[in-house]
Each structure stands twice: as C-alpha cells, then as structure tokens.
Amino acid sequence: MTAPATPLADRLAAALATARGRDVALIASDTMDLVAGAPAAPVPAAVLVAITERPDPGVILTRRTATLRQHAGQIALPGGRIDPADTGPVAAALREAEEEIALPRAAVSVIGTVDPYRTVTGFDVTPVVGVVPPDLPLHPSAAEVESWFEVPLAFLLEPRNQMELSAEWRGRTRHYHEIVWNGHRIWGATAAMLVNLGRRLAWPI
C-alpha cells in the first residue's frame, strides 16, 4: 500500500499522463560503452525518484559507500535490481528505498514509471516517480549508503544545469551528462534519467 495522493502528486500525475504521448528526444542508454563482463541480456532494475511535497519540491539522492564493488562513492537514486519476489519495478523501487535509507514504502504516493534506461554495466533501469512527505527521518544503511541529501527538483530538471561531457575511459570516448549542485557531482545513469524526466514532463508543470 502506498500513500494517498497529494496536490503535488496530482500535478505530476496529470503532467505524466499528458506527456506519455509526446515525441521527446530521450537518452535511451550508453550501451555503446558496455564494460567487459556486463551481461548480454539486460538485468531488470528500478530506482525511486522520491520527490518531496514542498513549495519548492526536492529529489532525494544518495551517495554510495566507498566499499561497494560497483559505483562506489557515486551519487544515485535509491534502487537496485528487481528480485524474483518483487511484483515489478514499483515494488522493487519501494523495497530498495526502504532498505537503503529507511524510506517507508507506505509514505510514497506512487505516480508511475517513466522511460527506462540501459546502463553501462548492463542494467535495464525503470525509474519510478513518487511523492513523499518532507523531512522524513531517513537513515542510510551503512552497508550500501554513506549519506543522503535533497536537491531542488527545478534545479535538476533545468537544461542549463545539465552539462553534456565526454571523457576517455578504458580506451574509448564515453559521453555522459553531469549536474553539479552544492559540490555534489551527479553524473552518468542518474543524471541521464533525470534529464529524461525533465524532457518527458516538460518541467515546470
């Protein structure tokens, strides 16, 4: 069970319903840069785009611990692979957010899913958009998450803040997006999914 709709949830739901039929240029993947050892068939995964119910809504992001095998120290949306016990992307995103930062799934007003993204490491990630109350007492799981923070949604979705960059990586040029906020470097798949969300919703709504 998820939380009831809120004014912001209603606005986002209406915007998403209108946007689904819109022809938008999206970043589908970075599969041209797949790393050695990445699975040939994509692994289903999901992340939660948790938007806070404020006059100036924010998005909850995490910084992964430095000891993880993949994406150590990087900034991410709460989420992970879809387990066999999950009923789909929504269930997986809510479960992962609860495990990673103790975000109660019952506190999330789920809006729906948006365009999937294929990551460089072989995951097919479905973003799940939801609205949460502000100032929840969140607690990072020490095994996975070093810290969490909130970034204004308008800042993340503003095209002028979404830099398109490239770098040499493992002998080839990799193209990616980057958003920098208060010293936090948000890049790669996380930035790409936020860029896609902004293009899909045509923010502000």
Side-chain angles (χ1 to χ4, degrees), residues 122-167:
F123 287 88
D124 192 11
V125 185
T126 299
V128 177
V129 179
V131 173
V132 300
D135 306 315
L136 289 171
L138 304 178
H139 303 284
S141 169
E144 297 183 77
V145 177
E146 177 183 298
S147 61
W148 69 272
F149 57 97
E150 185 178 330
V151 183
L153 177 65
F155 184 92
L156 292 171
L157 302 190
E158 169 55 56
R160 289 174 295 182
N161 299 328
Q162 302 164 350
M163 297 179 287
E164 294 185 49
L165 303 172
S166 64

Side-chain angles (χ1 to χ4, degrees), residues 72-149:
Q74 290 185 10
I75 291 171
L77 295 157
R81 70 177 64 218
I82 299 176
D83 288 346
D86 295 323
T87 55
V90 172
L94 295 178
R95 173 183 56 76
E96 287 281 352
E98 197 164 53
E99 292 175 359
E100 290 184 11
I101 54 174
L103 198 167
R105 65 191 74 190
V108 184
S109 178
V110 175
I111 308 303
T113 61
V114 288
D115 306 275
Y117 183 83
R118 176 80 183 272
T119 73
V120 69
T121 47
F123 287 88
D124 192 11
V125 185
T126 299
V128 177
V129 179
V131 173
V132 300
D135 306 315
L136 289 171
L138 304 178
H139 303 284
S141 169
E144 297 183 77
V145 177
E146 177 183 298
S147 61
W148 69 272
F149 57 97

Side-chain angles (χ1 to χ4, degrees), residues 19-35:
R20 289 199 186 278
R22 186 182 299 133
D23 186 15
V24 181
L26 299 174
I27 312 164
S29 70
D30 49 10
T31 53
M32 293 296 292
D33 298 324
L34 281 176
V35 298

